[in-house]
Amino acid sequence: MAMAALAVLAVSPARPADKPVTAGAAPVVILHQDVPLFTIYAWERWGNFINAEAGSKTEIPYDAARLQVKVYTFPSGEIRAIRFGNGVRTHRHINQTDTILYSWQAHRVHFVDDQAMVTEPGDFALHQKGVYHSGEETRHGGGIDLEFAMTIPGRHNDPHGYWSLARDHPVQPAAAWQLGGVYQEAIGPAAANAPAGATRFRVRLAELPDYQAREVYLPAGATIAGRLAGKDRLFFVASGRVTATAGGTGHALVSEDTAWAEHDQPFAITAREDSMIVEAFVPPRAAP
């Protein structure tokens, strides 16, 4: 899809060293201004995928792809915002984790093994650990794509990956409300029958095996709140301004900020202006 799940990021110095994460120490939000923007060069030689940060002593070949990356690391996964310049082509490389790919701004041709898929903003894909792939930006000016890379070992369902294209999954009306303290949600035609006091918003659902992901369009003042059983929530603010509330504390977020909600814990998102977020519901971090 409109991004490559870059193995370079799984091993690059751009990623902070792994540390034991306790519930009290886990970050709830990570703001974009607190995350360094790394420039990474990536290339292939003799079947090996090689990468180096800008400023390193490694000699950069003429055909290296130049990418800029921000990596937001949470207990149950990473959100990677990858900036592709005009015409950038990444070389074939292997996925290190199960990864949900989301095309936010880029228009690209994405290659998985010998298959190619033209991808546009709003497209989702799922690539399992061990999949070989690459991609090429096709629109003048480039853009940013997202990856939600999980910490679990991987499902290994399909070596060619799964695609959930925006043209096949239109934005739908949605409604959310509490019933007996339990979060309820209705999407599509069923949203019209939601209680009068329900929060009204819109969503685009991704159809991916084992995992859930979606775009959420919240009008100003709308709040969605509840808790997610058995899955952690990772989300990225694509536009607008929201307040994410977790552990009784509200955090003001703007475009390119991120948040994490631990499974079975209360969480709320309130739009302070018309906003769009992209979120993935992922398995919790495995116990050490």
Side-chain angles (χ1 to χ4, degrees):
M1 88 165 292
M3 68 204 88
L6 296 169
V8 56
L9 299 182
V11 297
S12 165
R15 175 179 174 175
D18 285 338
K19 300 177 182 178
V21 177
T22 64
V28 174
V29 302
I30 301 177
L31 307 182
H32 73 278
Q33 68 263 27
D34 296 331
V35 179
L37 179 64
F38 286 92
T39 296
I40 295 177
Y41 293 90
W43 63 96
E44 186 179 13
R45 287 294 183 273
W46 307 288
N48 295 316
F49 187 67
I50 307 166
N51 65 89
E53 281 190 46
S56 72
K57 295 183 179 179
T58 303
E59 182 177 352
I60 307 299
Y62 74 93
D63 60 343
R66 180 181 182 273
L67 307 165
Q68 290 184 306
V69 182
K70 286 195 174 188
V71 181
Y72 306 79
T73 302
F74 292 101
S76 48
E78 288 183 343
I79 302 176
R80 305 166 182 164
I82 306 173
R83 289 160 166 80
F84 289 90
N86 179 43
V88 166
R89 169 73 184 270
T90 62
H91 293 280
R92 174 176 150 97
H93 53 279
I94 193 169
N95 225 18
Q96 299 294 319
T97 67
D98 276 12
T99 304
I100 295 172
L101 313 174
Y102 173 71
S103 181
W104 179 24
Q105 298 173 340
H107 299 239
R108 301 183 63 212
V109 177
H110 194 88
F111 302 90
V112 181
D113 290 331
D114 295 325
Q115 300 184 13
M117 175 71 72
V118 177
T119 60
E120 306 287 343
D123 291 344
F124 284 89
L126 171 65
H127 288 170
Q128 277 76 35
K129 179 179 179 180
V131 169
Y132 281 95
H133 62 148
S134 66
E136 180 176 4
E137 167 66 31
T138 61
R139 182 188 65 174
H140 179 72
I144 301 176
D145 283 338
L146 303 180
E147 301 179 349
F148 297 84
M150 291 159 248
T151 58
I152 63 170
R155 308 283 195 198
H156 308 286
N157 288 323
D158 187 337
H160 299 299
Y162 295 86
W163 303 90
S164 183
L165 304 181
R167 64 175 179 263
D168 300 325
H169 297 89
V171 176
Q172 303 180 75
W177 66 98
Q178 297 276 346
L179 181 63
V182 178
Y183 181 74
Q184 307 288 322
E185 196 172 88
I187 296 173
N193 299 321
T199 296
R200 306 285 171 168
F201 58 107
R202 296 176 299 136
V203 299
R204 185 196 310 278
L205 300 175
E207 189 173 321
L208 305 171
D210 299 319
Y211 304 111
Q212 294 174 281
R214 62 186 190 173
E215 297 172 346
V216 180
Y217 297 84
L218 291 173
T223 297
I224 53 176
R227 61 185 78 211
L228 198 62
K231 292 286 182 71
D232 287 1
R233 173 190 235 136
L234 298 173
F235 88 76
F236 181 96
V237 181
S239 64
R241 298 184 304 144
V242 305
T243 297
T245 303
T249 302
H251 305 269
L253 307 180
V254 299
S255 181
E256 297 194 48
D257 290 345
T258 60
W260 166 75
E262 190 176 8
H263 62 286
D264 302 315
Q265 298 299 314
F267 192 71
I269 305 169
T270 300
R272 294 181 286 151
E273 63 185 37
D274 291 353
S275 302
M276 195 266 272
I277 65 173
V278 184
E279 59 184 4
F281 305 129
V282 303
R285 180 187 178 105

